[in-house]
Amino acid sequence: KVEYVVTRHPLFLILGCIPTAIATAFSVGILILADGNPIGIGVSVALSIFALIFLWKTWLDFSYDVIYLTSSRLIFNNQHLLGRSTNQMNYNSITNVKPSYPSIMSYIFRYGSLTIDTAADNPGQVSISMVRRHEEAANMIMQKSFESQKK
């Protein structure tokens, strides 16, 4: 049973769309200035494809890079362009949970990073950046970890 889902802040999606918007603007500008030149059209198409791929990657990171807190374990899901990775860990293997504000902007917009240390050597650490309500998530994870160690 999923009790809580740790997701990225919406600002992650907005900031991720900036390179896409820039590439699209350059693509349209080159297309207008190319005036039928095949090289200009080719560069414009390449920039458009880059913009679409970058937009897709940003959407995948925003929507599908999540941490699920269940009653028995923590599930970290990371979606890539060509595949995904899922990492599961029991609460009793968690040694430390560190929420942090990487900048003043993150404090103002109320997002941060969440790093989870485990007893394992490899990878030993799971982290996700630009998380909304990261302190609340860290408290919930540590509470679950303490409860599992009491059992």
Side-chain angles (χ1 to χ4, degrees):
K1 176 184 165 195
V2 175
E3 297 178 359
Y4 189 77
V5 180
V6 179
T7 60
R8 294 197 188 262
H9 195 276
L11 191 60
F12 179 85
L13 183 62
I14 294 168
L15 293 176
C17 288
I18 291 174
T20 302
I22 291 171
T24 302
F26 275 110
S27 174
V28 169
I30 290 171
L31 190 60
I32 290 171
L33 295 175
D35 197 34
N37 185 351
I39 294 173
I41 293 172
V43 170
S44 177
V45 168
L47 278 173
S48 297
I49 291 171
F50 167 76
L52 287 174
I53 291 172
F54 202 81
L55 181 64
W56 180 252
K57 174 66 175 142
T58 301
W59 176 253
L60 287 176
D61 286 344
F62 174 73
S63 299
Y64 298 107
D65 288 359
V66 295
I67 299 177
Y68 298 104
L69 279 69
T70 67
S71 55
S72 61
R73 72 186 69 211
L74 198 68
I75 302 170
F76 179 72
N77 190 27
N78 189 2
Q79 185 78 29
H80 308 287
L81 280 175
L82 300 173
R84 67 177 169 167
S85 63
T86 302
N87 188 7
Q88 299 181 24
M89 63 185 80
N90 292 327
Y91 288 115
N92 57 5
S93 67
I94 295 173
T95 58
N96 194 15
V97 180
K98 297 179 273 190
S100 63
Y101 289 103
S103 67
I104 292 174
M105 292 302 288
S106 66
Y107 187 77
I108 293 169
F109 288 108
R110 309 299 296 158
Y111 69 86
S113 297
L114 188 63
T115 304
I116 302 166
D117 294 327
T118 65
D121 288 336
N122 189 13
Q125 197 174 65
V126 174
S127 62
I128 185 169
S129 61
M130 289 193 81
V131 176
R132 76 172 86 174
R133 297 188 301 272
H134 66 293
E135 290 177 335
E136 178 182 343
N139 289 335
M140 291 182 77
I141 293 169
M142 284 309 293
Q143 180 182 7
K144 292 277 187 192
S145 178
F146 290 142
E147 288 173 3
S148 71
Q149 291 174 0
K150 288 180 182 179
K151 292 181 181 180

